Every structure is written in C-alpha cells, then in structure tokens.
Amino acid sequence: MPVVGLTTYLERAKQGVWDVRASFLPEQYVDAVTASGAAAVLLPPQPSPERSAEAVLDGLDGLILTGGIDVQPELYGAKRHPLTDPARPDRDAWELALVRGARRRGIPVFGICRGLQLINVALGGTLHQHLPDAYGTERYRIGGGVFAENTVVVDDGTRLAGLVGAGDLGVHSYHHQGVDRLGEGLTVTARTDDGLVQAFEVPGDEYLVAVQWHPEENAADRRLFLGLVAAASGHRAARAASGHRAGRIPSAASARAGADA
C-alpha cells in the first residue's frame, strides 16, 4: 500500500479543557486518500524544514499540498494586500521544502487550492492577492464556511483530462486568491469562463497536478485522488525494484559503516 503525506495546519485549537497549538486537517482529506487505496500520513510544519523534509520524504510515495491560509506575498515580491491572511512562514517554508524535495526524488505531487498557489510561487510565479480586485467577483469565496459551486473547463489532451475528462466540470471553490503569472515549466489545464487559471500540471512523465478547487469535498468523485494514489503506487514499485525501499533495513555493511562514523 502506498503512503501519501498530507500537509497540515499548525494553529491554535481547542478540545475539551485544552487550548493549544495543534496540527490538524479536515477529515475529508484523509478520507479521500484512504478511500483511494493509500495510507495517509499528516505532515505538520517543522523546524529545520529542509533537513526535516529530506527525512520525511524517505517514507513517502506521494505528496498532497492541502488547502489553507494565503501564501506570503513577500515570497513572490509583492506588497501585502490588506485582506491577505497573516503570514505563516513556518508552513510556507515547510511546504516549499517538501515540494522541491519531492520533485528531486520523482515523488508524485498533488496540489489543492493553497497547494496550487504554493507550487506556482515555488516555480517563480505570482498570485492575485484578492480576486474581487482583479476579476470583480466574489464567486470563488462566498464565505461562512460554505463552498461556492463553479464550473471549470478542462483542456483536452492533458493529464487532468485523462483523470476527470475534458470539458465542463463542476467544482467546489473556497479561495480569494489565484494565479497571476504562471510559474516556470507549468502548463495550464483548466480555466473558468473569466480566464482564471483553475488547474495546471507539468508536462511529460513527472506527476505534478494541481487544482484551485477542493476535490476532497466531493465524496462521490475520487478521480483526482485515485490518480495520485495510482502514481504513488507506481513510484513505490519502481523504488522497490531499484532497491530503494522507504524505511528499508540497512545492510550489515552499511550498519557497520554507520556505527564506525
């Protein structure tokens, strides 16, 4: 069974008598992964993100960058908009390290909402910080914890189309930011009728797919998660065939070398 990591919040949370900072993620994400045939592992922000990411990625076959608060505009050289969320530099640094490390290792990556935006920034792109300013509409975030319903148009001949079909697709939206300048090496695979980028991917063999909507909110349609899990299974099999198993027991020779170090 492949192991898929999901990035999480690290925020103030209450449970019973406890009021502490905690790692948490809506259950829908975990359900979507496990229902698609993988084991889910939560990945909260950690100190020394580069070193920690390298250690964590040794045990993963797939990576999902989940939704959440806004990416810091300072990371793409923009002045902060008054309605941009307060900065969470720990999460930004952690997820940047994870996505870069995953790509170096060939680990399949799936970005959701904030995840798409984080990937775009990681590849040198920029964001619209408040879509009502840029597009004159509140259609993508109606507020109150209620997901807006929108229709995106998926381009034919793309990996995304291979997963969900080309043409119109109904989606659940909850975001007030979006792609402005596209990151290097990315190909847009879906837009809404106003031209806003709703999905992109990396062409070729690398599995990097990202969507601006929230597919975890549709339990009747797991196709995007099934696609990620299938790619993760393939990566796990290839790694096993080459002798690079996650969590493998070291050989006697390497164990002795480690003991002598």
Side-chain angles (χ1 to χ4, degrees):
M1 176 182 288
V3 178
V4 173
L6 300 104
T7 57
T8 80
Y9 300 84
L10 187 58
E11 303 287 341
R12 202 85 188 170
K14 291 184 179 182
Q15 183 182 34
V17 299
W18 305 108
D19 182 358
V20 296
R21 275 173 58 82
S23 171
F24 70 95
L25 189 70
E27 184 180 18
Q28 292 93 319
Y29 286 101
V30 177
D31 286 348
V33 169
T34 56
S36 299
V41 176
L42 300 187
L43 306 176
Q46 299 185 33
S48 304
E50 297 288 345
R51 292 181 59 195
S52 297
E54 289 301 306
V56 165
L57 289 166
D58 278 343
L60 297 184
D61 305 302
L63 173 66
I64 298 178
L65 301 175
T66 64
I69 59 176
D70 299 333
V71 177
Q72 298 173 84
E74 293 82 2
L75 292 175
Y76 49 92
K79 183 179 178 180
R80 178 171 291 273
H81 189 283
L83 296 178
T84 294
D85 293 331
R88 291 295 188 274
D90 59 341
R91 184 171 182 184
D92 289 343
W94 172 236
E95 293 188 353
L96 287 169
L98 284 172
V99 71
R100 289 166 178 162
R103 295 191 72 202
R104 286 195 300 270
R105 294 163 180 257
I107 295 173
V109 176
F110 179 32
I112 296 174
C113 198
R114 169 193 155 88
L116 172 142
Q117 296 169 8
L118 188 285
I119 291 168
N120 192 58
V121 171
L123 296 182
T126 63
L127 303 175
H128 292 294
Q129 289 188 63
H130 194 53
L131 291 174
D133 291 349
Y135 285 80
T137 179
E138 298 274 5
R139 66 185 285 193
Y140 299 113
R141 187 175 70 174
I142 58 180
V146 177
F147 285 86
E149 295 184 6
N150 284 287
T151 298
V152 305
V153 181
V154 179
D155 292 341
D156 196 10
T158 61
R159 186 187 295 274
L160 181 64
L163 295 173
V164 300
D168 290 357
L169 177 69
V171 302
H172 293 82
S173 306
Y174 204 99
H175 61 97
H176 79 118
Q177 299 198 343
V179 171
D180 182 6
R181 185 179 72 242
L182 191 67
E184 184 177 353
L186 296 171
T187 297
V188 176
T189 56
R191 296 181 187 268
T192 30
D193 56 9
D194 55 10
L196 181 65
V197 174
Q198 290 289 336
F200 57 59
E201 61 191 45
V202 173
D205 293 335
E206 179 182 358
Y207 194 101
L208 189 155
V209 173
V211 300
Q212 184 60 82
W213 64 89
H214 284 269
E216 78 281 0
E217 292 299 316
N218 187 355
D221 185 356
R222 299 297 197 202
R223 289 176 293 178
L224 289 171
F225 291 96
L226 288 166
L228 184 277
V229 170
S233 296
H235 177 76
R236 184 179 183 87
R239 186 166 57 176
S242 66
H244 297 288
R245 297 177 183 270
R248 65 191 184 279
I249 299 172
S251 67
S254 62
R256 283 196 300 272
D260 292 340

